[in-house]
Amino acid sequence: MNGADTAWIIVATALVLFMSLPGLALFYGGLVRARNVLSVFMHVYAIACLMSILWLAFGYTIAFGDASHGWFGSLDKAFLSGVTADSLSGTLPEVLFFAFQMTFAIITPALIVGAYVERVGFGFVLTFSSLWMLLCYAPVVHWIWGGGALADGGIFGEIGTRDFAGGIVVHETAGIAALMIAVALGPRKHRTTPPHAPWMVFVGAAMLWVGWFGFNGGSQLAADGGAAMAITVTHISAATASLSWALYEKIKYGKASLVGIVTGTIAGLASITPASGFVGPIAALIIGAVAGVLCQEAVNFIRNKLQIDDTLDVFAVHGVGGIFGTIMIAVFGQGSFVAQFGALIIVGIFTFVVTYVLIKVTAAITPLRVDLETEVNGLDLSAHGERAYDITS
């Protein structure tokens, strides 16, 4: 065990949890109608709690069980069987590695929340998120990070897929699943209502930016120069994408908005995530500058051309950003084009199939969408019996 590495990953684990609670919750909550903000908080918070237990039970062992199982980890570490305070994973206590990876298993299904806010049943949220994390997310983790089929020595040969912190594992999978649920749900009745609290979106985005240092820097799994470089390029990409989004918005619409610039931040963060351990500051500038424009155009295409109500643009920002960053690893000569594109295609098809099946299965168990009256009145009062704001008090 290395004490410095251990101390840093303890901090990084807290930072990644901070991304979900409260960062993502505030970012998403500010974008919806005032009568739905508590439901967004509830979704993110409940997912965090439930995924933690399921990661302990089966998620971790599916992802990081015996690597000789190319497509699915063994169940030898279910409920952390055999893992003690003295067990090691590299230079870290294995229980800390478990906890760090658990925060990724929390935020990935939580990202999908942005696609279905304001019209989804709470039972569907919990049931789908549980099944999806275990049957879609955890196997993909095994393939790329757990020594599975897409890693070094797998189906792509000695040099396997490069995904430092989750461009494929987190952002592609969540983005595709989000888009599919948005299509299955259909559009909201009030899809043109503006965000009720842009200030809340800003606060959430700022928390995500800070927490992302743990997300990317922690993925080095060591307190060294690699972690420092990952944090640096993460910051540079986020800053550049924020400005390129705002500039492009100003050129197209005449005004640069606060919600726009912070959405650009998230686009830059998602795009640099897979490449953050492989590229330097100049590459980060390029990735961020392109991401701010690319993801904004993806938002316009999905909303206006395809008419898909991916409410908070999960696929356009996270999915497109993660895919773009994954490809840029090969563009900058740090990975194989065959391995990068191959993994994107394999994971994309797998995510599509599993998500499609799980939507059908879950919808047969619990209603997918709330009734019209509940949607019009808002999920806060109808589903949870509370209001975020009481102007009479």
Side-chain angles (χ1 to χ4, degrees):
M1 189 188 79
N2 182 287
D5 295 347
T6 299
W8 162 232
I9 302 305
I10 289 172
V11 172
T13 300
L15 285 171
V16 182
L17 182 61
F18 183 71
M19 291 173 68
S20 298
L21 307 173
L24 186 69
L26 288 169
F27 181 76
Y28 280 174
L31 288 167
V32 300
R33 294 191 298 159
R35 64 190 65 188
N36 290 312
V37 60
L38 294 184
S39 71
V40 174
F41 292 169
M42 186 71 169
H43 292 167
V44 175
Y45 205 90
I47 285 173
C49 297
L50 188 53
M51 295 313 106
S52 299
I53 295 169
L54 292 174
W55 187 250
L56 169 68
F58 299 113
Y60 178 69
T61 192
I62 292 171
F64 294 102
D66 187 352
S68 64
H69 297 72
W71 297 100
F72 200 85
S74 67
L75 298 180
D76 59 317
K77 294 183 179 179
F79 293 95
L80 285 183
S81 176
V83 177
T84 69
D86 297 322
S87 303
L88 293 181
S89 177
T91 62
L92 302 174
E94 186 173 6
V95 70
L96 175 58
F97 178 73
F98 158 84
F100 180 66
Q101 291 296 335
M102 177 179 66
T103 60
F104 282 67
I106 289 169
I107 199 169
T108 306
L111 288 174
I112 303 172
V113 168
Y116 54 60
V117 291
E118 302 196 295
R119 63 201 189 280
V120 73
F122 187 53
F124 178 88
V125 172
L126 297 185
T127 306
F128 174 84
S129 298
S130 300
L131 295 172
W132 188 87
M133 191 278 282
L134 291 173
L135 300 177
C136 185
Y137 173 77
V140 172
V141 173
H142 181 70
W143 299 351
I144 296 177
W145 292 341
L150 305 184
D152 293 350
I155 63 174
F156 296 121
E158 184 178 345
I159 299 178
T161 306
R162 296 285 180 262
D163 183 6
F164 189 70
I168 299 174
V169 174
V170 174
H171 295 291
E172 184 192 16
T173 59
I176 291 174
L179 194 65
M180 293 180 67
I181 295 178
V183 171
L185 275 170
R188 291 164 293 160
K189 300 302 180 184
H190 301 87
R191 64 179 299 183
T192 59
T193 304
H196 91 280
W199 69 267
M200 188 183 293
V201 181
F202 161 77
V203 172
M207 291 176 173
L208 282 165
W209 190 340
V210 173
W212 224 290
F213 290 167
F215 199 83
N216 289 356
S219 292
Q220 178 72 5
L221 300 176
D224 60 14
M229 181 59 78
I231 288 173
T232 300
V233 299
T234 296
H235 186 79
I236 296 300
S237 178
T240 310
S242 302
L243 295 175
S244 68
W245 184 296
L247 177 61
Y248 193 60
E249 195 176 44
K250 172 69 174 177
I251 292 170
K252 287 194 70 174
Y253 306 111
K255 294 181 180 179
S257 66
L258 175 65
V259 169
I261 195 171
V262 301
T263 304
T265 304
I266 306 305
L269 291 166
S271 297
I272 196 63
T273 288
S276 56
F278 308 113
V279 302
I282 302 303
L285 279 170
I286 296 169
I287 289 172
V290 175
V293 176
L294 176 66
C295 293
Q296 188 172 163
E297 278 301 306
V299 169
N300 295 332
F301 180 75
I302 291 169
R303 280 187 188 177
N304 303 321
K305 299 294 184 182
L306 299 182
Q307 290 292 306
I308 296 174
D309 189 16
D310 177 358
T311 313
L312 309 183
D313 307 310
V314 181
F315 180 77
V317 175
H318 293 276
V320 171
I323 291 168
F324 167 64
T326 299
I327 295 170
M328 291 305 288
I329 295 171
V331 170
F332 287 114
Q334 299 301 310
S336 158
F337 278 101
V338 172
Q340 298 306 103
F341 276 101
L344 285 169
I345 293 169
I346 291 170
V347 172
I349 293 173
F350 176 77
T351 302
F352 179 89
V353 172
V354 173
T355 302
Y356 178 83
V357 171
L358 292 182
I359 289 172
K360 296 296 184 182
V361 170
T362 308
I365 298 170
T366 182
L368 172 59
R369 184 166 180 159
V370 298
D371 58 62
L372 179 59
E373 182 180 359
T374 298
E375 183 176 344
V376 171
N377 292 335
L379 301 183
D380 289 1
L381 195 60
S382 300
H384 306 295
E386 298 171 294
R387 297 182 190 271
Y389 309 100
D390 186 352
I391 60 175
T392 64
S393 63

